[in-house]
Amino acid sequence: MQVESLTIPAAYTRLIVDLCEARGVDIQQAARQFDRNVLRDPNGRFKLLDVGALLYQAFLLDEAIGYEIGLNTQLTSHGLVGYGVLTNPTFKDAIDFGIRFGELRTPFITLSVRQENDTGIIEARETFDLGPTRQVCMEHYLIGVWRIGEMLVKTSNFPADIFELYFEHQKPPCHDQYRSRLPACHFSSPANQLRFPSHYLDLPLATADDMAAQLASQECEREKARTGSKSGSLTAALTRFFQDTVAPPSLGEAANYLHMSPRSLKRKLNAERSSYQLLVDQHRERLAKQLLKDPRRSVAGIAQELGYTAPENFTRAFRKWTGMSPTDMRRQYQDK
């Protein structure tokens, strides 16, 4: 899908306009092109490029507008996507739901999640060149993701002071006035990330509701079909491709699906700071955790379903992802 045809919900535009008005930032000239009736319509949408131009105008007049948008974004601002995040069973499931349907709300950024040793990492990458809006987009997006994560953790009665934010850009002058309202922030970093202890990925959410999560997923799928939403990110495209599989497809099969050569696919994924193996591992880890909840499935059977030639290879990989064996994870589920 061409960038020119991408749209985002009117709720985000309304938030920019309302915050600027509250902060005395005059963007009325730029905001005149946005129909007031559509701004207040729960189902209204505006062209992404038009909203980007409005955001950049606001940023030029108020360098802290990204911080303000992030801090004032509520889970309910994301509609059904936010509802789905809220009702998934674990923190990792909630993240996966946000990754799966995030393009419906913010098609300009793609999320991925991974585990490195004892650290869980949610990484944000632009799906196309954001140009001069890149800094403000990353600020409001990652701060918004942190707020959602903090809310989920607090609601589940777990300590929430475990997050850290990493930004690629240099520390903006306005940051010090927001320091007390944010987690630890690091600037001039290699990537834009939210980091936290990896064991929080398995945190059961107090707001979990299987039926509600299924309904949210169904409605989000309908919205994707209705809006023709399709992210320009290969990472997002492959994540969707994997959804209907258990054993992940080969690199060649994925390349054929995307109508490109395996070499081109690997090169383009590298440009997105991803890799085919990383996506395969994330897919297998997510499914393995789901399958292990069913006591009728053997570990050897799950390994075979996921495409492993030997159970010990699956056990080795699972231990690398989670720090424990599949058997230990199953026992943990049973204890819960």
Side-chain angles (χ1 to χ4, degrees):
M1 181 174 288
Q2 296 297 313
V3 173
E4 292 80 4
S5 62
L6 292 175
T7 62
I8 62 173
Y12 299 138
T13 311
R14 185 171 67 248
L15 180 59
I16 297 171
V17 173
D18 289 349
L19 280 173
C20 286
E21 183 176 327
R23 291 173 62 79
V25 179
D26 185 9
I27 57 168
Q28 293 309 307
Q29 185 66 33
R32 283 178 183 171
Q33 64 176 306
F34 298 98
D35 188 303
R36 287 284 172 175
N37 292 325
V38 180
L39 275 174
R40 302 298 167 182
D41 183 353
N43 297 313
R45 299 182 75 91
F46 290 112
K47 285 188 175 182
L48 178 63
L49 291 183
D50 291 340
V51 180
L54 179 72
L55 177 62
Y56 185 56
Q57 180 66 28
F59 181 56
L60 289 176
L61 297 171
D62 181 0
E63 68 170 4
I65 196 66
Y67 281 67
E68 289 291 336
I69 295 171
L71 288 169
N72 284 278
T73 300
Q74 306 297 323
L75 192 58
T76 52
S77 302
H78 303 292
L80 284 168
V81 176
Y83 186 61
V85 167
L86 185 69
T87 54
N88 264 267
T90 69
F91 191 44
K92 177 64 161 55
D93 293 323
I95 296 169
D96 288 340
F97 190 94
I99 291 173
R100 182 179 175 189
F101 295 112
E103 65 180 273
L104 292 172
R105 300 294 176 260
T106 52
F108 53 93
I109 288 179
T110 297
L111 283 182
S112 64
V113 61
R114 67 180 186 273
Q115 180 178 335
E116 291 184 1
N117 298 321
D118 296 329
T119 302
I121 300 172
I122 300 174
E123 185 166 323
R125 298 185 295 271
E126 55 189 335
T127 54
F128 53 85
D129 186 4
L130 295 176
T133 67
R134 190 169 195 271
Q135 176 179 328
V136 66
C137 283
M138 287 298 175
E139 285 173 352
H140 80 68
Y141 188 88
L142 275 181
I143 291 173
V145 170
W146 160 70
R147 274 182 53 79
I148 292 172
E150 182 188 48
M151 186 275 289
L152 292 174
V153 168
K154 279 185 176 179
T155 304
S156 301
N157 295 318
F158 281 78
D161 56 345
I162 42 86
F163 295 101
E164 294 188 27
L165 284 167
Y166 289 76
F167 295 100
E168 287 184 337
H169 57 265
Q170 295 180 347
K171 186 176 81 169
C174 68
H175 176 74
D176 288 341
Q177 63 182 292
Y178 289 90
R179 189 188 300 273
S180 62
R181 300 169 61 186
L182 294 169
C185 293
H186 308 270
F187 297 92
S188 300
S189 301
N192 296 294
Q193 299 173 339
L194 177 67
R195 294 189 171 212
F196 51 90
S198 59
H199 67 268
Y200 270 66
L201 288 168
D202 296 315
L203 174 69
L205 299 182
T207 53
D209 185 322
D210 286 343
M211 184 64 71
Q214 289 179 35
L215 290 173
S217 179
Q218 292 170 7
E219 289 301 318
C220 286
E221 288 289 3
R222 291 190 185 100
E223 185 177 343
K224 284 174 70 173
R226 186 171 63 250
T227 61
S229 177
K230 185 176 181 182
S231 170
S233 163
L234 279 178
T235 300
L238 287 171
T239 299
R240 289 192 297 271
F241 182 44
F242 287 177
Q243 285 171 6
D244 296 326
T245 68
V246 179
S250 68
L251 175 64
E253 290 170 333
N256 287 336
Y257 168 75
L258 295 168
H259 306 292
M260 64 179 67
S261 69
R263 173 180 283 185
S264 293
L265 176 56
K266 291 168 69 174
R267 184 179 68 252
K268 291 181 179 182
L269 283 174
N270 183 62
E272 293 182 9
R273 293 190 181 140
S274 186
S275 71
Y276 194 72
Q277 187 59 53
L278 174 62
L279 296 178
V280 166
D281 286 345
Q282 290 174 345
H283 172 74
R284 281 173 161 165
E285 179 187 358
R286 178 177 59 82
L287 281 183
K289 289 179 178 179
Q290 291 178 1
L291 296 174
L292 284 168
K293 293 178 182 179
D294 185 349
R296 295 169 298 179
R297 295 177 181 270
S298 68
V299 172
I302 292 173
Q304 185 176 19
E305 286 186 72
L306 293 174
Y308 287 95
T309 56
E312 55 267 26
N313 293 339
F314 167 57
T315 298
R316 190 179 304 111
F318 194 87
R319 192 181 294 277
K320 178 181 178 183
W321 301 330
T322 66
M324 64 177 69
S325 71
T327 303
D328 289 338
M329 177 67 76
R330 169 165 281 170
R331 187 177 298 113
Q332 187 178 85
Y333 286 143
Q334 292 172 344
D335 291 343
K336 289 178 183 178

